[in-house]
Amino acid sequence: MELVDIRDLFHHQEDYVGKKITVGGWVRSNRNSKNFGFIVVNDGTFFEPLQVVYADGLENFQELTKINVGAAIVVTGVLEATPEAKQPFEIQAAEVTVEGVSAPDYPLQKKRHSMEYLRTISHLRPRTNTFQAVFRVRSLIAALKVRDRNHYQKKVVSSAYNRVMFTKDMKKDYTILCPQMSPIHFDLLEPAIRSFGYHIEVLQNHNRSAVDVGLQYVNNDACYPSLIVIGQIMDALLSGKYDLDHTAIFMSQTGGGCRASNYIGFIRRALEKAGMPQIPVISINANGMETNPGFSFTPLMLTKAMQAVVYGDIFMRVLYATRPYEKEPGSANALHEKWKKRCIRAVSKKAPAMMEFSKIIRGIIHDFDNLPRVDVKKPRVGIVGEILVKFSPLANNHIVELLESEGAEAVMPDLMDFLLYCFYNSNFKAENLGGKSSTARLCNMGISLLEYFRKVARRELEASSHFTPPARIQDLANMAKDFVSLGNQTGEGWFLTGEMLELIHSGVNNIVCTQPFGCLPNHIVGKGVIKELRRAYPESNIIAVDYDPGASEVNQLNRIKLMLATAQKNL
């Protein structure tokens, strides 16, 4: 019989949950009722104790209800996760053996003892948290003294790396792989960048296999989006489909406090671990963090990219607002495919024709606005959250399709709004954090330029019968600042709160806030403000849904269905 240390259970919970294990220790407390009881056990290896649940099905149930504090027991059972309780897990006991009984007057009870009292029972002091901590510190000090006496010198291994540059010669015959984030947008961005001579390929392996591969190359305490991004890239490279000596990686880099700034480092580390250090990683950033002589954004390329983003935002807005009401099933998707081909032809031309751009926008909105519909009323559900989890069907478990299959209309704010948010942040930095006012003015010019790209779309959406135009970034900031500081600029920052308020003000009171594991900013400005939003807007129906590799899809589905049930009542 091999005992598992309680310390190992806390440090490696994922290795033991759901498995049958055996632990031994001393009873800290024993609470029981007629049919079951709870024993708190500590084995001295960790400060936190372990709770054991025992039921009247055990042969020695009556004996267990009478054991006192200080008794020595060995417990065998299954370790069950308890995320809703104070403790992270507990053992459902299948067998409890009492190795040594204890008297009712055992000196250590479940209460705080003074140091004076503990000195009178020195043989039992190691069982208290205070002296366990003291002895650990003493042990560490002794180890340090031994190290100094033996003149031990730690060998420092440099973490520096030689960055592989993407050169001009590589542009001719290198395939550039780009991880998928939003299919409705990236289907158009790919041909836009290809038109400038780059052999870029947006990966289509956004499936569970990519997540599993990501877990092999990224520590599982990193954020869920990083697992998906690195997983897609490594899954593609390991597939044997690409010539690894003529392949490069294309990845955006924000440069802020979000861990998305570290994706480049994650990718390079994964490539080195897999024996592919020769593959260059192209960082796409707006602040000069990294440059590559073989890849540069020109004004023409930026224009084409912005056109592709606007097309994608329009498709997302009109398709999601039409598909749940289409009279002929499949007609909305067919119309989307028809116009997507037209958009791909337009962005594939090297010269961005603004007249054609405006004409296509008017045509898309007109055709979707006039597509035959059924006259029904359905609950509208907004989707907000971390940018990748919000837009990626892999990350959010196809939430748009789920909502539509449950009889709702999905409402997704624009991708362009995130770019506007990044520009707008310079105003707060200039006013409050010592940022340059010239940078703020330049960013405000950028906002005006991006708004120019969707000027026609805004006008046509306002004139349409079934669609709503996007809010302006200044309005989002004014709404959000009553709930969070505009200094919250890590990750989605105040913008996430602003998106929820935009939805509420536009009549979309039902909102799903997608929360990826490991994204602390998202939990603060998303989940953290929901209570205040409900207080300010009692009609709002907002839920936060967690997404990570081990998240239960059943739990996600149940939370969403519960929200939809409330939405149906409020129709």
Side-chain angles (χ1 to χ4, degrees), residues 143-321:
L144 292 174
K145 288 181 178 178
V146 170
R147 183 193 68 179
D148 293 340
R149 189 168 61 245
N150 294 339
H151 305 292
Y152 173 79
Q153 296 292 328
K154 182 179 179 181
K155 184 179 179 181
V156 178
V157 180
S158 174
S159 59
Y161 61 90
N162 293 319
R163 181 163 71 92
V164 180
M165 304 291 284
F166 185 79
T167 64
K168 291 181 180 179
D169 292 336
M170 293 178 178
K171 179 179 177 180
K172 303 173 188 175
D173 53 2
Y174 265 60
T175 299
I176 304 174
L177 303 183
C178 174
Q180 178 66 269
M181 185 183 79
S182 174
I184 208 165
H185 293 89
F186 280 38
D187 285 353
L188 303 170
L189 280 167
E190 181 185 65
I193 298 175
R194 273 179 173 267
S195 66
F196 291 87
Y198 296 102
H199 305 289
I200 189 167
E201 180 179 327
V202 175
L203 296 174
Q204 300 301 321
N205 59 343
H206 44 293
N207 49 42
R208 181 66 204 187
S209 172
V211 177
D212 294 337
V213 174
L215 286 167
Q216 298 175 32
Y217 289 94
V218 181
N219 193 298
N220 63 1
D221 65 356
C223 61
Y224 185 39
S226 69
L227 290 174
I228 292 176
V229 169
I230 282 72
Q232 286 186 64
I233 292 168
M234 297 309 298
D235 184 50
L237 294 174
L238 294 168
S239 68
K241 180 181 175 182
Y242 303 98
D243 178 359
L244 301 183
D245 292 322
H246 292 84
T247 302
I249 307 299
F250 183 92
M251 188 68 219
S252 62
Q253 194 172 19
T254 60
C258 174
R259 273 184 279 197
S261 299
N262 298 321
Y263 287 7
I264 297 291
F266 285 171
I267 295 169
R268 288 184 177 131
R269 182 183 176 192
L271 291 173
E272 187 172 344
K273 183 179 178 181
M276 310 172 189
Q278 77 281 8
I279 297 178
V281 181
I282 304 168
S283 168
I284 305 303
N285 60 84
N287 50 16
M289 293 175 66
E290 287 188 8
T291 58
N292 285 274
F295 191 97
S296 59
F297 270 115
T298 63
L300 283 179
M301 185 189 292
L302 286 171
T303 299
K304 295 287 285 298
M306 289 304 101
Q307 287 181 344
V309 170
V310 171
Y311 284 143
D313 284 342
I314 294 170
F315 278 137
M316 192 169 61
R317 193 169 284 269
V318 299
L319 179 63
Y320 293 172

Side-chain angles (χ1 to χ4, degrees), residues 430-447:
E431 294 169 7
N432 301 279
L433 303 177
K436 293 182 179 179
S437 57
S438 58
T439 302
R441 286 195 298 269
L442 190 63
C443 288
N444 287 331
M445 290 172 61
I447 291 174

Side-chain angles (χ1 to χ4, degrees), residues 393-408:
L394 166 63
N396 60 40
N397 288 334
H398 300 269
I399 191 170
V400 173
E401 289 85 345
L402 170 62
L403 291 172
E404 291 181 358
S405 67
E406 294 293 329

